Amino acid sequence: SVRTVLSDLGAKSITHWDGRKNHGCSKSIPEDTDYVLMLTTFLNHNMMKKYKKIAKKENISLVCAKRSVGSVQDEFTKVMKRA
């Protein structure tokens, strides 16, 4: 699962928001966030734009991947190497 991959890569806490509906656009990124992972297959475009902008402003690494274990692992590893 995606959660297993993230745990294997060192994630200690994972917060999930449903990106298919607009209700997720009203949430704030927690202060202790190191990475924002966006699963682009089902993501609402307005939500993606909003959190991409916030992540950049707050200097939080952004990972965009398709909703598959392999894609998440590949994209997350690329971003971790840059950090």
Side-chain angles (χ1 to χ4, degrees):
S1 74
V2 171
R3 284 186 181 272
T4 302
V5 169
L6 295 175
S7 293
D8 290 348
L9 291 170
K12 292 176 182 60
S13 174
I14 300 169
T15 302
H16 174 263
W17 296 337
D18 184 350
R20 297 181 196 194
K21 298 179 181 152
N22 284 329
H23 71 271
C25 286
S26 62
K27 297 180 181 180
S28 298
I29 297 174
E31 288 187 25
D32 61 343
T33 300
D34 295 318
Y35 296 91
V36 171
L37 171 63
M38 294 189 185
L39 301 178
T40 59
T41 309
F42 297 110
L43 188 60
N44 171 301
H45 289 271
N46 290 330
M47 187 179 200
M48 186 167 121
K49 284 184 199 176
K50 176 183 177 176
Y51 290 110
K52 183 177 179 180
K53 183 178 179 180
I54 292 170
K56 185 175 182 176
K57 179 182 173 188
E58 296 183 13
N59 202 28
I60 299 170
S61 296
L62 178 68
V63 181
C64 295
K66 293 181 181 178
R67 191 175 168 243
S68 74
V69 171
S71 179
V72 169
Q73 186 167 17
D74 291 346
E75 297 303 321
F76 207 93
T77 302
K78 287 178 194 175
V79 171
M80 288 175 68
K81 286 180 182 177
R82 284 186 258 149

